[in-house]
Amino acid sequence: MIVPRCLPAGDGAVLAELRSLDETLALFQALGQRPAGVEDVVPAARTLLVRFRPSALTAREVAAWLRRAAAALADAPGGAQGVPSAASDVRRVEIPVRYAGEDLEVVAELIGLTRAELIERHTGSDYLAAFAGFAPGFVYLAGGDPCFHGIPRRAAPRVRVPAGSVAVAGDFSAVYPSDSPGGWQLLGVTPWRMWDMDRAEPALVRPGFRVRFRNLDAAGVAYSLPGENACLPAAAPAAPGGATAPAAPPACFEVLSAGPQTLVQDLGRPGLTGMGVSLSGALDRGALRAANRIVGNPADAPALENALGGLRLVCRGRAVVAITGARAEIRVTTAAGIRLPAALSQPLALDDGDELRIGAPDAGVRCYVAVRGGWNVTPVLGSCATDTLAGIGPAPLRAGDRLAVGAVPGGVRPGAVQAEAAPPPALPRRGELVTLEIVLGPRTDWFSPEALDLLAEQEWTVTPQSDRVGMRLAGAEPLTRTRQRELPSEGTVAGAIQVPAGGQPVLFLADHPLTGGYPVIGAVIGRDLDRAAQIPVGARLRFRPIGPFKEILP
């Protein structure tokens, strides 16, 4: 009988821990229709991560739903059957491999086989594409010969693993879809691209597929790229909100300077975890919504996310913009050199030739620039957000770029722009102490009581090695673990405080990986995430748990 252990993963997620991959897949397939408020379910090696809206559900209700599904599965004929049978209608993919990986001899010695025997066993059986994670197109392949189960990761991860590398670690095989850091043992390389945005289906392998590896150096083995139907470009998606982009935009903006980083963002890509694609989207979601509200756009219209100021735009035509988020000086200068009044959280009417400039913030990090009608950017996988970890979405802005303005949303009155009634929230400055509330779990019990005290009592400094993926923190004393074994990959959430082997935490932000292999000691609550996104390098953090770590019991 499957009995999930339900653990908190922030105030908007539950992590269901199971005993095996078979149990995980069986429960995942048995969940059926999701209750209103469940936003996503992320399967991993031995866990299911359920993200939900706290306004619609409680963690206890989510846990009860999972337990009911597990009980119904136990009562079904045949009980819990985790791995699907090799039915004829299951998609199958054969992946050609040249077995010349850097770790091939090491792995062969580790499992007591010759090089030829290792290759024969790795190509000798089918694998089940169990779940996606780490990066788009990275799929954990379960099954295969038992000799490959339990292979340890490298002691020191490589800084760069080439795209197409075929690797093993733990109980899984996988193919790296892009150049990235990685600690798996490399057996070989495939010429096939596992992730290609020019294909109608970007992911070559998706969960539920069957996979078999073929040795390219064996006699009579040849390969070809996937058939033409798999390489057709996807049809151009509709503009946000279903509106058709106008043939001639009413205005556009020329980028004179993009500052340290300016990206197009919206509210992200929900529901694509099956391809290994996380939500991403604006870091300060409240600021993006506010900017769109001021100019009369839908809340999820794309806006510009500018980090640390330095953005300069020239309006070609007429437009109305609004800037929210970090506290920075806003300048509007006409083509004749006349400076016009401008402020944050106010609608700004721009004429042809007006220059808009954002200075360096003295509080906060990121400003959001919305234009009435939205930025006319082609969505990628249903969103205009730029995911910096996955490399999905519009490229970062550069000097010389031109950004078109979209059509005014239907039903919005021409004069429907207004300043924000409420003052913007106070934002942190460099050197200031910021307190964030957290929910302990799901892996709090991997740490000593002294480490939990240290987490809450010690100040943590935001280091320069911080970005949209996460904030790397440094404390005088590292957090110590009581469990030193490897943690099988499991789903993570924005706000998760992951603790690598060195004991210095990483606070995940919007572009965090879908799954992670280090224990998460706690997670920042939802209402503090926007403020966390505005914490500058050099600021100090203190975490305040809002209660003890507790399993979610019936």
Side-chain angles (χ1 to χ4, degrees):
M1 180 176 178
I2 295 178
V3 181
R5 180 181 180 230
C6 296
L7 305 168
D11 61 345
V14 170
L15 188 78
E17 183 182 63
L18 299 125
R19 290 171 295 190
S20 66
L21 176 63
D22 282 3
E23 285 195 357
T24 300
L25 296 179
L27 180 57
F28 179 60
Q29 293 164 3
L31 288 178
Q33 185 173 359
R34 300 174 182 179
V38 170
E39 295 184 326
D40 209 352
V41 182
V42 182
R46 297 175 192 167
T47 58
L48 292 177
L49 179 75
V50 181
R51 291 196 305 106
F52 64 92
R53 290 196 312 275
S55 60
L57 288 170
T58 66
R60 188 179 294 274
E61 288 171 332
V62 171
W65 170 58
L66 291 167
R67 293 188 181 102
R68 285 195 302 271
L73 184 65
D75 294 337
Q81 300 296 324
V83 180
S85 63
S88 59
D89 59 348
V90 172
R91 291 273 294 274
R92 299 176 63 88
V93 177
E94 292 191 352
I95 298 178
V97 180
R98 179 152 285 120
Y99 284 92
E102 294 180 43
D103 302 314
L104 185 68
E105 303 296 341
V106 173
V107 175
E109 182 177 352
L110 185 66
I111 59 181
L113 298 175
T114 66
R115 179 180 182 277
E117 290 170 336
L118 182 152
I119 295 172
E120 183 179 1
R121 296 210 187 181
H122 198 248
T123 58
S125 55
D126 282 359
Y127 295 80
L128 169 70
F131 60 94
F134 179 63
F138 190 101
V139 179
Y140 292 75
L141 304 176
D145 194 287
C147 73
F148 295 105
H149 297 176
I151 299 292
R153 290 181 175 89
R154 288 172 51 88
R158 290 182 171 89
V159 175
R160 177 182 173 273
V161 175
S165 294
V166 178
V168 293
D171 294 339
F172 300 98
S173 290
V175 183
Y176 281 80
S178 58
D179 293 354
S180 65
W184 289 35
Q185 308 279 2
L186 306 185
L187 301 185
V189 65
T190 178
W192 280 18
R193 288 182 293 181
M194 305 304 292
W195 179 263
D196 186 348
M197 289 298 299
D198 290 332
R199 291 197 297 249
E201 295 184 11
L204 182 65
V205 175
R206 298 186 65 169
F209 287 17
R210 290 282 175 172
V211 174
R212 192 155 187 139
F213 295 107
R214 297 295 188 191
N215 181 9
L216 265 176
D217 294 326
V221 173
Y223 79 92
S224 60
L225 292 177
E228 292 182 2
N229 289 340
C231 296
L232 292 174
T244 302
C252 72
F253 283 75
E254 181 182 348
V255 180
L256 300 182
S257 172
Q261 184 186 70
T262 300
L263 307 171
V264 178
Q265 294 294 347
D266 55 21
L267 295 182
R269 297 179 178 84
L272 297 181
T273 55
M275 290 195 291
V277 177
S278 61
L279 180 63
S280 187
L283 289 188
D284 187 341
R285 298 165 77 83
L288 179 136
R289 289 187 178 101
N292 277 318
R293 187 165 55 244
I294 292 168
V295 297
N297 287 343
D300 59 350
L304 304 182
E305 179 183 87
N306 165 252
L308 302 176
L311 178 64
R312 295 173 57 203
L313 305 172
V314 172
C315 183
R316 304 302 183 190
R318 290 185 171 183
V320 177
V321 301
I323 303 170
T324 59
R327 193 172 71 190
E329 181 185 23
I330 308 300
R331 288 191 179 187
V332 174
T333 308
T334 69
I338 300 172
R339 183 172 173 180
L340 302 177
L344 290 167
S345 302
Q346 301 284 333
L348 305 175
L350 303 181
D351 285 327
D352 186 56
D354 286 355
E355 179 184 329
L356 174 68
R357 179 182 301 192
I358 300 177
D362 62 11
V365 178
R366 295 172 174 89
C367 288
Y368 292 82
V369 184
V371 63
R372 189 160 178 269
W375 300 103
N376 192 4
V377 178
T378 301
V380 177
L381 297 178
S383 167
C384 297
T386 300
D387 185 330
T388 59
L389 179 65
I392 297 174
L397 266 60
R398 299 180 301 174
D401 287 348
R402 294 176 75 90
L403 292 169
V405 177
V408 174
V412 176
R413 292 178 289 106
V417 294
Q418 58 182 347
E420 283 288 273
L427 296 174
R429 301 168 181 251
R430 183 181 180 90
E432 285 187 349
L433 178 63
V434 181
T435 299
L436 299 176
E437 292 188 331
I438 64 171
V439 173
L440 293 175
R443 298 301 175 190
T444 306
D445 52 0
W446 280 53
F447 296 86
S448 65
E450 294 77 17
L452 295 183
D453 292 339
L454 193 63
L455 174 71
E457 295 171 1
Q458 180 170 259
E459 293 181 1
W460 304 91
T461 301
V462 180
T463 71
Q465 291 74 43
S466 300
D467 53 23
R468 280 183 49 90
V469 176
M471 291 192 291
R472 294 186 178 271
L473 308 177
E477 296 184 54
L479 301 176
T480 56
R481 285 164 48 174
T482 56
R483 304 186 192 186
Q484 301 305 322
R485 60 183 173 87
E486 286 191 356
L487 177 71
S489 294
E490 58 190 29
T492 59
V493 298
I497 305 166
Q498 190 182 70
V499 184
Q504 299 290 355
V506 179
L507 173 57
F508 279 158
L509 298 177
D511 287 356
H512 67 87
L514 193 64
T515 59
Y518 294 114
V520 170
I521 194 171
V524 175
I525 64 173
R527 67 171 178 265
D528 277 356
L529 282 178
D530 287 352
R531 190 155 59 102
Q534 296 288 4
I535 298 174
V537 169
R540 297 168 295 133
L541 294 187
R542 178 166 282 160
F543 296 115
R544 184 168 63 207
I546 60 175
F549 169 64
K550 293 188 297 185
E551 182 179 349
I552 305 169
L553 299 173

